[in-house]
Amino acid sequence: MTPAAVLSTASGLALVLLSLALLMTVLRIIRGPTLPDRVLGLDMLVAIAIGLIAVIAVRTGFYLYIDIAIALGLVGFLATVAFARFILTRGLAPERMSPGATDVSRPNPSPARPRPGQAGRRKRKGAR
């Protein structure tokens, strides 16, 4: 078997596997269920696209595609950082909560109850 045949077979197999991974990642982005899952899916989509571009560059011999893959990697990294920052500023509010579940990220809104024996004693403003 010649090296050209091995390269052709390996790049064909890589294209098939990367295409399958691309479809599965798109499915994950569509189904979710949460925003961080979708952001992770978009990051994975960028990584798979970089792999596809690299395989096409090797297969065609047109290595300018590698520069495009590097630029896509930089833009994808910045997009992931921006999405992560958006999620942090938005807060990780639960998107789906089961009935009866309590949200542990929020403090208890009920006022603190006074201890027994201190019910009628309150300090006035400025009093010591």
Side-chain angles (χ1 to χ4, degrees):
M1 200 170 205
T2 65
V6 171
L7 186 63
S8 177
T9 304
S11 63
L13 181 65
L15 284 174
V16 168
L17 291 176
L18 285 169
S19 298
L20 182 65
L22 185 87
L23 290 175
M24 289 171 41
T25 303
V26 167
L27 234 156
R28 176 79 287 169
I29 291 170
I30 292 171
R31 291 188 64 196
T34 63
L35 185 60
D37 289 332
R38 289 186 174 100
V39 170
L40 189 63
L42 286 172
D43 191 36
M44 191 66 208
L45 194 69
V46 169
I48 292 169
I50 291 170
L52 280 170
I53 291 170
V55 170
I56 290 171
V58 169
R59 192 171 182 127
T60 62
F62 193 61
Y63 292 105
L64 184 62
Y65 288 142
I66 299 297
D67 294 337
I68 296 169
I70 291 170
L72 182 62
L74 292 172
V75 171
F77 171 73
L78 290 175
T80 302
V81 169
F83 279 133
R85 192 162 174 103
F86 170 73
I87 290 172
L88 283 177
T89 58
R90 177 178 163 241
L92 292 174
E95 293 183 12
R96 294 182 187 170
M97 287 187 63
S98 61
T102 58
D103 186 8
V104 294
S105 65
R106 293 184 181 178
N108 190 2
S110 63
R113 293 185 182 171
R115 284 185 258 156
Q118 292 184 344
R121 299 167 45 192
R122 293 188 184 199
K123 286 188 175 181
R124 293 185 182 182
K125 201 173 193 179
R128 291 188 185 217

